[in-house]
Amino acid sequence: QVQLVESGGGLVQAGGSLRLSCAASGRTFSRAAVGWFRQAPGKEREFVAAIRWNNGNTYYADSGKGRFAISRDNAKNTVYLQMNSLKAEDTAVYYCAADLYAGVLLSARPESYDYWGQGTQVTVSS
């Protein structure tokens, strides 16, 4: 079993920054990938970024390239999503998720991920 707890969401003005955290506990993560997804009201869950736990390889959706950065701290079992130059359209509930047996290519599909956190709200005011 894996537990994921997100934090760091909040209200920020357009152009501002936030750093989200995803603290993981439970099973070991040696073969895992951790992804960030988001879901705005009335929209489907959308992939944001993913990172492979053992080597730090990353994968980004086009929407976040150049603005978002995913990283991990192995000692703290925590994955971060640094979000800069935020826009109103970034407003959503952000979820982290774990793919315990990630393949060669990191996945952007929600169904690839086995465990999910409860989400943290990010609201960007224009």
Side-chain angles (χ1 to χ4, degrees):
Q1 194 73 353
V2 173
Q3 293 80 42
L4 302 171
V5 180
E6 302 97 334
S7 61
L11 174 64
V12 63
Q13 288 188 334
S17 298
L18 281 176
R19 189 178 79 157
L20 306 183
S21 299
C22 173
S25 61
R27 295 177 59 178
T28 58
F29 272 41
S30 59
R31 296 173 55 187
V34 175
W36 284 97
F37 292 79
R38 65 187 184 185
Q39 189 165 19
K43 295 188 177 181
E44 293 187 353
R45 194 162 293 192
E46 174 190 23
F47 172 74
V48 176
I51 188 166
R52 190 177 299 280
W53 195 262
N54 58 5
N55 62 13
N57 284 351
T58 59
Y59 175 40
Y60 292 93
D62 288 343
S63 60
K65 285 182 181 177
R67 299 189 300 127
F68 295 176
I70 189 171
S71 61
R72 91 271 192 237
D73 184 329
N74 289 23
K76 295 182 178 180
N77 262 12
T78 299
V79 172
Y80 303 100
L81 183 69
Q82 177 68 43
M83 303 188 294
N84 300 322
S85 302
L86 284 162
K87 306 174 183 178
E89 51 262 44
D90 294 317
T91 295
V93 177
Y94 283 70
Y95 299 90
C96 68
D99 177 358
L100 294 186
Y101 300 100
V104 173
L105 297 178
L106 296 175
S107 177
R109 298 165 61 239
E111 52 267 36
S112 297
Y113 291 78
D114 309 292
Y115 295 93
W116 291 80
Q118 82 288 351
T120 186
Q121 176 70 47
V122 171
T123 302
V124 183
S125 62
S126 57

